[in-house]
Amino acid sequence: MKALSEVSFDIHPGEVHAVCGENGAGKSTLMNILAGNLQPDEGGVIEMNGQPITIADYNHAQALGIAIVYQERSLIDSLSIAENIFINRVPLNRWGLMDYRKLYEQTVPILNHLDLSYLSPQRLVVELSPAEKMMVEIGKALSQNPNVLILDEPTASLTEKETATLFKLIASLKQNQVAVIYISHRLTEIFQIADKVTVLKDGKYQGTTLIHQTSSGQLIKTMVGRTINELNKPVYKNGEVILAVDKLSGGRFRDCSFSIHRGEIVALAGLIGAGRSEIARVLFGLDKRTAGSIRFKGEAIDLIHPAEAIRKGIAYVPEDRKSQALFLDMSVRANINVTIVAGDKWMNNQEQINTAGSYQNQLHIQTPSLDQTIKLLSGGNQQKCVLARWLQLAPQLLIVDEPTQGIDIGTKFEIYQLLIDLASNGTSILLISSELPEVLALADRILVLHLGNIIGSVNRKEASEERILSMASGNSA
């Protein structure tokens, strides 16, 4: 199958054109062709300002006014911010040496434009946070004064504040007649900033539409073939109580009481900072409770370490898989087997291969080899490896915090169905998600937090986005 076949779309000055599709849809191949990093195999025409062009390489694309910001950063840690932004284009003095004064003067307005005025141009990139590095990448592209700017998942590592800055920047670029191609799995962003959206599937063009003439449901159906409301979620029937929490307090939450039954999916909904993740961390023994009680399968427990939670049958998929769940420099096989190898069971090399291979097939983990370093996999495949790690232990309670964050829509549906299947087979699930359509599609009951308190509980039939948002803002059920 071709990575890209007969794709056609156009973009106009001052327009934000979103491109979306599952992993493997051809988005990266298309952008690499436009950025000069790949050459098309056959046929097709690229026109710029009405004239056919052949983009020879990356430098030629830059000369034509095309700049790209990749999701994976290309900065050199040992160089300063200024040197990275103007790499290969640094100003020289009359002796042919780098003119640092001029270099720093040129960098300051770019940093100001990015709301990074608190950073010195001389600051080494190695000292920056991941979000700051991404903003510097964007500054590097803007320093080229492009006519076409390609942004590939630009908000993946940005905070809400930095995302807002980026969106203001994009609005400014539109006013200056810069065309922006915006690639993102986050449909809410696409509807917030895009004028048009093009969908790719299996390397083929599915269509382009004005953003105000479509909906997230229509886009999802074009990408995946079904909507989130078409998931095969059976009606939940009450089982025994697996987890009972009474007046639990800790961190940002207090006096929280709730229960989860066998095979039930219960969601914690609320605004950022409401205390959802903090509850999960206490239930897994990562943080201490300050008050209240926890009963698991009828037994009072006081977890002081995750190892205790694991032994009792509690598993936890944290919000940030890269910093909290994965060993990025280790292999796929090692990451899948780590909970077994680190526990009481010894596994020889062949057993590890067989086990990891079994979950690779079961969860459709796309990797060239089980010995591939896991940091080279897509976010969705990394998340599947984290889930596979816990599935080995057959947990009775699975806590999943933002399970589909930064994942393409196709893999999201695979994870949705996996969670549904686990619940159908008796696993209790505590789901934490900021995506309300996800919560509404998966949860049997929704507990809504506001400022650390559970303000109410809504069952599946009575729930709506409007009602959940209203409660999360402090209004009673």
Side-chain angles (χ1 to χ4, degrees), residues 40 47 49 150 191 299 314 323 329 347 399 427 452:
E47 291 186 357
N49 298 320
I150 304 170
F191 280 90
E299 173 193 358
I314 302 173
S323 66
D329 292 321
M347 296 176 72
I399 305 169
T427 302

Side-chain angles (χ1 to χ4, degrees), residues 72 322 327-330 372-377 382:
E72 297 300 325
K322 288 189 176 181
F327 298 90
L328 292 173
D329 292 321
M330 292 171 61
Q372 173 81 297
T373 305
I374 200 165
K375 67 182 177 184
L376 300 178
L377 269 58
Q382 289 176 351

Side-chain angles (χ1 to χ4, degrees), residues 26-203:
K27 304 186 301 294
S28 295
T29 301
L30 174 61
M31 297 311 131
N32 274 306
I33 289 173
L34 296 179
N37 293 317
L38 289 177
Q39 295 297 317
D41 293 331
E42 59 185 40
V45 175
I46 300 173
E47 291 186 357
M48 197 164 188
N49 298 320
Q51 299 298 317
I53 59 170
T54 299
I55 304 174
D57 53 33
Y58 181 76
N59 290 331
H60 185 209
Q62 284 187 322
L64 290 168
I66 302 171
I68 186 167
V69 177
Y70 290 105
Q71 183 178 357
E72 297 300 325
R73 290 178 287 277
S74 63
L75 303 178
I76 300 173
D77 282 347
S78 59
L79 297 181
S80 69
I81 293 172
E83 289 168 321
N84 270 281
I85 287 178
F86 289 98
I87 197 162
N88 297 328
R89 296 176 293 116
V90 295
L92 304 177
N93 59 28
R94 59 181 176 176
W95 297 286
L97 302 175
M98 190 183 302
D99 189 333
Y100 282 100
R101 183 184 61 79
K102 191 172 183 180
L103 174 65
Y104 298 148
E105 285 179 353
Q106 291 178 346
T107 305
V108 167
I110 294 174
L111 293 177
N112 291 341
H113 205 34
L114 297 169
D115 280 349
L116 298 176
S117 56
Y118 61 90
L119 290 177
S120 165
Q122 297 100 312
R123 183 89 169 264
L124 292 180
V125 162
V126 71
E127 299 172 357
L128 304 182
S129 70
E132 288 168 339
K133 287 181 179 179
M134 176 52 75
M135 295 302 280
V136 171
E137 285 276 14
I138 294 167
K140 180 178 173 181
L142 293 179
S143 72
Q144 301 166 30
N145 296 314
N147 298 313
V148 179
L149 176 63
I150 304 170
L151 298 173
D152 185 4
E153 296 288 350
T155 63
S157 61
L158 300 186
T159 64
E160 285 187 33
K161 178 178 179 294
E162 288 153 341
T163 298
T165 298
L166 173 62
F167 288 176
K168 279 173 29 184
L169 192 61
I170 290 173
S172 173
L173 292 171
K174 285 181 64 174
Q175 289 182 344
N176 291 322
Q177 296 302 295
V178 176
V180 178
I181 300 176
Y182 193 89
I183 304 169
S184 179
H185 296 314
R186 302 178 179 181
L187 297 185
T188 52
E189 294 182 358
I190 288 175
F191 280 90
Q192 189 173 348
I193 65 168
D195 301 298
K196 291 180 183 175
V197 57
T198 289
V199 178
L200 303 181
K201 182 177 175 62
D202 297 329

Side-chain angles (χ1 to χ4, degrees), residues 96 206 440:
Q206 302 298 305
L440 296 173

Side-chain angles (χ1 to χ4, degrees), residues 253-270:
F253 67 95
R254 58 193 178 278
D255 295 328
C256 290
S257 300
F258 62 92
S259 61
I260 303 177
H261 298 79
R262 184 177 298 280
E264 184 181 26
I265 300 179
V266 174
L268 291 179

Side-chain angles (χ1 to χ4, degrees), residues 226-234 413 416-417 420 441-442 460:
R226 57 177 173 163
T227 69
I228 195 168
N229 295 323
E230 295 171 11
L231 286 167
N232 182 26
K233 176 75 169 70
F413 271 72
Y416 293 160
Q417 197 60 57
I420 290 170
L442 296 177
R460 180 184 180 87

Side-chain angles (χ1 to χ4, degrees), residues 393-415:
L393 301 179
Q396 296 184 60
L397 173 64
L398 174 63
I399 305 169
V400 286
D401 192 348
E402 303 290 359
T404 62
Q405 184 169 267
I407 291 174
D408 77 280
I409 193 67
T411 306
K412 278 188 178 186
F413 271 72
E414 290 185 74
I415 290 177

